Amino acid sequence: AQRVTQPEKLLSVFKGAPVELKCNYSYSGSPELFWYVQYSRQRLQLLLRHISRESIKGFTADLNKGETSFHLKKPFAQEEDSAMYYCALSTQGGSEKLVFGKGTKLTVNP
Amino acid sequence: KAGVTQTPRYLIKTRGQQVTLSCSPISGHRSVSWYQQTPGQGLQFLFEYFSETQRNKGNFPGRFSGRQFSNSRSEMNVSTLELGDSALYLCASRPSTGGLWGYTFGSGTRLTVV
């Protein structure tokens, strides 16, 4: 069965500090991984897709198949990064669905 | 272009009633999925539709059903409502199937069952 684990429910850092939000997955196939972000009172938004290897708002994430991880990192956190972050795995095979982790609430303190 | 639109935004229903939620995907998006979000269970997949066909269904009872129309708009229906059905129901769309595409989510319909 597919599973996404985000071990930290809450993460608090100071502005300017590095931040890493952890995500581990369990999936027997070839995964497609995403990070979604939900700012206060806003809709869930796609932040990153592993397939595109992009950097959005200073965030990056690298898929490590050996460790089955897809951690989200930013070298210098900003107050506006405070939000709920969800890691998600997309299954394949023609009838895809997203399997979400329970989320990590990031608070960046001034 | 307009995002994913869900109506209504809020809904209060009584146990035993049934409810229909609506989702209009982004123009050109043919794949529509539904998710239930609760504080305890997080985001859980309900079902996905593509070209009017249900392609996948999550682990929800048969009281939860949906459909997609030829214009890609989708509805989900919950019959015989239970208190535990209280949740934020999210609709998401993407251009096509295939893991290359990220989903775009709507703001959701918050359903309260009393």
Side-chain angles (χ1 to χ4, degrees), chain B:
Chain B
K1 58 184 176 183
V4 178
T5 304
Q6 291 188 246
T7 56
R9 289 294 306 275
Y10 302 93
L11 210 47
I12 300 175
K13 289 286 188 178
T14 305
R15 263 186 309 174
Q17 286 186 311
Q18 68 104 27
V19 67
T20 300
L21 313 181
S22 180
C23 171
S24 293
I26 290 174
S27 178
H29 285 197
R30 297 168 64 195
S31 171
V32 174
S33 298
W34 289 87
Y35 291 81
Q36 183 195 64
Q37 186 175 26
T38 59
Q41 299 299 317
L43 284 147
Q44 293 187 287
F45 172 77
L46 279 156
F47 23 67
E48 181 193 16
Y49 287 88
F50 180 77
S51 293
E52 301 179 67
T53 301
Q54 186 182 91
R55 295 172 60 85
N56 202 354
K57 192 177 192 312
N59 294 325
F60 280 83
R63 301 184 296 107
F64 291 80
S65 63
R67 59 178 175 168
Q68 186 181 33
F69 301 96
S70 58
N71 61 357
S72 294
R73 191 177 71 85
S74 178
E75 289 181 347
M76 68 163 279
N77 185 78
V78 188
S79 63
T80 320
L81 283 165
E82 300 177 0
L83 295 178
D85 297 333
S86 294
L88 181 67
Y89 290 89
L90 296 174
C91 170
S93 74
R94 58 180 177 169
S96 183
T97 56
L100 293 176
W101 303 100
Y103 289 88
T104 301
F105 282 81
S107 297
T109 294
R110 184 164 296 281
L111 172 65
T112 302
V113 183
V114 298

Side-chain angles (χ1 to χ4, degrees), chain A residues 73-85:
Chain A
K73 300 176 185 178
K74 185 171 183 176
F76 308 103
Q78 303 299 315
E79 289 179 67
E80 55 265 30
D81 296 330
S82 296
M84 197 73 184
Y85 290 81

Side-chain angles (χ1 to χ4, degrees), chain A residues 10-19 76-83 85 105-110:
Chain A
L10 303 170
L11 185 62
S12 183
V13 300
F14 286 102
K15 177 182 172 181
V19 63
F76 308 103
Q78 303 299 315
E79 289 179 67
E80 55 265 30
D81 296 330
S82 296
Y85 290 81
K105 184 175 182 179
L106 173 66
T107 301
V108 181
N109 300 298

